[in-house]
Structure formats: C-alpha cells, structure tokens
Amino acid sequence: MASVATSLDSTLRILLERLNWPVRMVRMVTAREYAKLLSSSVHEKAATRAFLHWLSIRRFESEIATGLAVLLCTPGKDLPPFKEVCAAIHRPSIIVDMLLQHIYGVGHRKDDWRNAHSGLVPDDFMPSKYFEDHKTQNVPFLFSNQIKRLESRYWFPFSRQWAFEWQKLMDRGGIPYSDFPHHFVGNLARSGIVGQFELAQSDVMRSAYLRMLACAVAEGAMTAQQTGFYAMDCLPINRSLFRIMPVDRPAWLAHIPEECCAEGASLEASARKLIAANANGSEMRFVSLLTPIKASLYEFGDLTVSAVLAADDFVPPDKKEPYFSPGAGWPLPDSITVEGKLDEEDTERYAVDGKVGRCLPTCLDMFPMPYGYWLSDYLVAGYALPASYLFPTPPEVACDEAGISVCADGSIVAKLSIWHDQWTPLYAQGGGNTRCGVLTEMDKSALEQASERHGLRLGWVAQLRLWSRKTDYGEYELSMRREFFFD
C-alpha cells in the first residue's frame, strides 16, 4: 500500500507541475482536471495534500494566482479549508486576496500583500537591458500600456518600480533569463512563426508587476481598490469559461473551406455552400464562422464567413482591416465570471460606412474585462457574440461545456462553440491565430426581427487568409481575399 501511495503522490506532483507548462492551454486543462481530483471521493485527501504542498513552495506571486486558478474550477463544497490554503501561501499579492474572496466569499483574505514589495525604487536605479528588451516578449503589451496609463494618473514611478522589483526577484538567483522557446518551434521561428507561450520569465515579470502595485499602495500613491483593477491583468482564467470543452469539427464543413483556396475559386460560391450546408432545417443559422484550413493544405490559414446587416445599396469600403465582428470590451458584472447581461451598444459606434451605404456587424468579438490570459488562443480567435443592438434589450450570457449561450426572453437565441483543428500553439505573425475553429449560430426569427428593426438586409463577408512561403526556409507571407454579397 505504501508503494501505491508513493506512486499516487508522484503522479499528483507531476500533474501539478503542468500548471507551469509553457503552453497556456495545457495549464488551463491541468487546472480543470486537478479540480476534479479535489472533488473525487477517492483521491480528494491526497490531491488536497499535494496541492497545498505545491502552493507552499511557490517562489512567485504569479504562481500563487496560478494555483488559485485550480480552486476557481473547484465546486465550493469540495474546496480545501480556507485556513489551510492561506497557511500555504507565502507570496501574497492583491490578486491573491481578490481571488480568495471570489472563491471563499467576501472577507476571506490573506491580507499580507501591502508589504510584499522591495521598497521604493532608488533614484540611481537603472533598468537592465534584458528587462527593457524582454518586457513586451514575456508579458503582453498590455502591461506596458497599463503602466503608461498609471503614470499619467498618479505620481508614482511605476515603470522604474516594475524594473526594480524584477531585478530584486532575479537577484534571488536560480531564475533563467529565458527567451522565446525555440525548441517548441524549431526552424519555423526563422520564418516568422510565433506561439502562445508562458515562460519562467512571464511569472517573474507578472510578479514584479504585482509587487510594483503593492509598493504604490504602501507609498500612498493609490488605494487598494484602485490597484485591484490593474492587478486583474494577472488573472489566469475567467470563472465559467474553463467549462467550455472543444466540440468536434462540424461535419457540414466537409471540404468546402479548402475549395476556396484553389486559384481563381470564388469565395462567394464557397461561402454560400457553407451557409446552405448549415441551414439544414434547424431553428438556427450561423452568423459567424472561423475555421482553419486543413493543415495538410495550409498549416497557417483560415476562412471567415460573417453576417452583417447592410443597406440595399451597400458597397464595401476599401479597407484592409476587417469591418465584421469588431472587438467590444465587456466589464464583467462580478469582475471575474463570464456571465450576465451584455452591455448596451450604440449602433453608431459600430456602423461601417461603405463606398456607398452603411452596414452593421451582427456579431462583436466579446473581450471580457478582465480576461484570463490562459485562454488567449480563444480570445484571439474571437468570442463572436450577437451584438446587443440586435435585440430590444441586451441579452444574457452563460457558459457550459457546449460553449457560450446567449439568452433573451427566457430562451436561447444564440450559441457559440469552439473546436480544435489539428491544434498547435503556433501561429503566423501578422494577425494569425492558433488552429481554433469558432462557430456562432443565431435564432433565425431573432435575426429576421433584427433586420426589420434596423431596416437593413442580411449580407455576408467572406475572408480567406493564407500564409505561405516560396522555400522551406523563407519567410511566411500573408495573402488575403475578401468578398461581400447579400443573402
């Protein structure tokens, strides 16, 4: 029996280390699956013991947030005792307190984060070249942009404090000066291929960012409440989005997306085939489709077909950027869960002027605020949800295993599903996304009513993007075609 227990403990430790795996999708799946072990009547005690030990030996504040992501995925009745979790946390931060309250309820906090910093940056401190060169490689541009916003609002030296906290963490020793993970990409890196990765330096820089915020509060430059908004940039995963499970690639897609890749092929003809294939007598029809082109034909390429509501005389504009499914930030009602009523949207904000006439996108790419960075693959592909201006009042959103559902008047009026199509964390620079397919379907009668309400016709935009290279070692180049047509 001792050997069985030892084997189980080893397996649990190995699984927990996957929370630090460079591929974000692996981290998300690990958190979701480990939560099931915490809920298991057979493995709950061993899983809890291993989890608390893992949490207790984390070196960085960001890693604690990673661990708490497991508890975000765990039903309340199966959570480890709050006091034991707090006792295991030795790297507190404001996001830890925020997550603990979301997990265990208001008032459940660790509270020690205000002293979790290195003191105010000295006047003679100079940021290292490595930090300056890599701060936008190991964490998104969002962090640098946020610091610019902070420095425009408060007197505190946020940029230098971030670099100072990073240097102090690095001075502890044993932390690699990691660069892009070329071993995951191989020779493709020289051809302009990048990927959705998290490295050890990502945790160091996020932790330094959290420590910077703690110092700002300690120095009286900001309140804890003001700081919390920025701390949530380090949120690993949104509550409820983790429930979404990839579905199978829709059978009705068949080989239609690949047909439009042939030289001289009509995008409109292929798109109309897809629209007809999806109709199949159901009460819903798709209003947004993003599908990767089969990897055997193009490793990096996708087809998008999106609905718009357009004036009878609409002629699309000469613009390279897409005029369908623009991004729309959604401040989450409880600041962490993707559910609840969507915001009202002004049609004037999203209306597109063509060469002649105007159109309205039927879908907006919903950007949860805050967003969980482990699911960046899906975020980049786009959570295309019907715009609230299609309905008399804003609809409500909920997530389950099948995807995201949109409800109005007590019934589901739209649903979004995601699939992996020979998925890889790699993508081509210049607007590419990983091999995720996204389908949004909407109730036909609701779509017709929206068209009548706005006095516009249903139209479609088809876009094909293909990345190819002339030689096996050359740079990938993007070719793109786009066509508009009425239903």
Side-chain angles (χ1 to χ4, degrees), residues 27-50:
R27 296 188 180 197
M28 188 275 293
V29 173
T30 299
R32 185 173 60 205
E33 295 306 309
Y34 203 90
K36 293 179 182 178
L37 292 174
L38 293 176
S39 299
S40 167
S41 59
V42 177
H43 301 300
E44 175 264 334
K45 289 184 179 179
T48 299
R49 183 174 61 250

Side-chain angles (χ1 to χ4, degrees), residues 343-362:
D343 291 342
E344 289 191 23
E345 298 289 359
D346 183 4
T347 56
E348 288 304 309
R349 179 181 178 184
Y350 295 101
V352 175
D353 289 320
K355 291 180 181 178
V356 180
R358 307 180 85 195
C359 80
L360 278 177
T362 60

Side-chain angles (χ1 to χ4, degrees), residues 104-131:
Y104 288 97
V106 175
H108 291 80
R109 300 187 297 268
K110 173 73 176 175
D111 268 341
D112 298 336
W113 62 269
R114 286 173 175 81
N115 296 318
H117 59 85
S118 304
L120 187 62
V121 56
D123 291 338
D124 60 352
F125 173 79
M126 295 294 292
S128 77
K129 184 177 185 305
Y130 176 91
F131 178 83

Side-chain angles (χ1 to χ4, degrees), residues 239-477:
R239 182 173 252 167
S240 80
L241 276 183
F242 74 86
R243 298 192 182 100
I244 297 176
M245 300 293 287
V247 301
D248 293 334
R249 183 180 189 268
W252 51 266
L253 289 177
H255 298 288
I256 301 172
E258 288 67 41
E259 291 177 5
C260 63
C261 298
E263 186 175 352
S266 167
L267 270 180
E268 178 179 340
S270 296
R272 287 190 182 278
K273 278 188 181 181
L274 289 170
I275 294 167
N278 169 255
N280 62 26
S282 72
E283 294 181 354
M284 289 199 174
R285 66 183 304 185
F286 83 73
V287 285
S288 179
L289 169 69
L290 166 68
T291 180
I293 300 300
K294 287 187 176 178
S296 58
L297 189 60
Y298 283 93
E299 187 173 3
F300 304 104
D302 54 51
L303 172 67
T304 301
V305 182
S306 291
V308 295
L309 298 179
D312 289 335
D313 60 351
F314 178 70
V315 178
D318 287 332
K319 55 192 302 186
K320 293 183 179 180
E321 66 272 16
Y323 55 90
F324 51 87
S325 300
W330 182 31
L332 299 177
D334 71 348
S335 298
I336 195 169
T337 310
V338 178
E339 69 176 24
K341 188 169 289 189
L342 289 173
D343 291 342
E344 289 191 23
E345 298 289 359
D346 183 4
T347 56
E348 288 304 309
R349 179 181 178 184
Y350 295 101
V352 175
D353 289 320
K355 291 180 181 178
V356 180
R358 307 180 85 195
C359 80
L360 278 177
T362 60
C363 291
L364 305 178
D365 278 345
M366 182 266 292
F367 189 98
M369 300 170 60
Y371 77 100
Y373 66 90
W374 284 357
L375 287 175
S376 294
D377 301 69
Y378 295 166
L379 188 72
V380 173
Y383 297 113
L385 299 180
S388 59
Y389 52 65
L390 297 187
F391 306 93
T393 58
E396 296 195 358
V397 166
C399 300
D400 58 24
E401 285 193 3
I404 302 177
S405 58
V406 180
C407 299
D409 297 325
S411 61
I412 295 177
V413 292
K415 56 185 181 181
L416 178 150
S417 56
I418 296 171
W419 69 93
H420 293 179
D421 200 321
Q422 294 180 267
W423 186 84
T424 166
L426 306 182
Y427 63 94
Q429 286 182 325
N433 45 267
T434 59
R435 296 187 60 84
C436 299
V438 185
L439 173 69
T440 305
E441 297 175 290
M442 184 174 172
D443 180 83
K444 292 177 181 176
S445 61
L447 183 59
E448 290 170 0
Q449 290 169 19
S451 179
E452 292 173 2
R453 189 179 303 111
H454 290 284
L456 299 170
R457 290 177 59 189
L458 183 62
W460 298 90
V461 184
Q463 175 180 278
L464 178 68
R465 303 188 301 177
L466 301 173
W467 281 265
S468 58
R469 53 184 178 175
K470 295 177 181 178
T471 65
D472 290 341
Y473 52 83
E475 288 277 341
Y476 277 87
E477 295 182 359

Side-chain angles (χ1 to χ4, degrees), residues 51 58 102 113 134 136 157 220-221 273 340 393 449 467 478:
F51 173 77
R58 296 304 94 200
H102 280 296
W113 62 269
H134 289 80
T136 56
K273 278 188 181 181
T393 58
Q449 290 169 19
W467 281 265
L478 170 65

Side-chain angles (χ1 to χ4, degrees), residues 1 5 9 15 30 50 62 114 126-127 132 141 147 151 163-164 167 182 203 218 226 232 241 306 339 346 356 391 471:
M1 292 295 293
D9 288 344
L15 182 57
T30 299
S62 178
R114 286 173 175 81
M126 295 294 292
E132 292 296 334
F141 276 104
I147 283 176
E151 291 191 332
F164 180 61
Q167 188 63 62
H182 297 284
D203 277 318
Q226 290 168 329
M232 289 300 270
L241 276 183
S306 291
E339 69 176 24
D346 183 4
V356 180
F391 306 93
T471 65

Side-chain angles (χ1 to χ4, degrees), residues 195-208:
Q196 294 280 7
F197 295 113
E198 288 293 313
L199 307 180
Q201 274 296 328
S202 302
D203 277 318
V204 181
M205 291 192 174
R206 290 180 197 275
S207 298

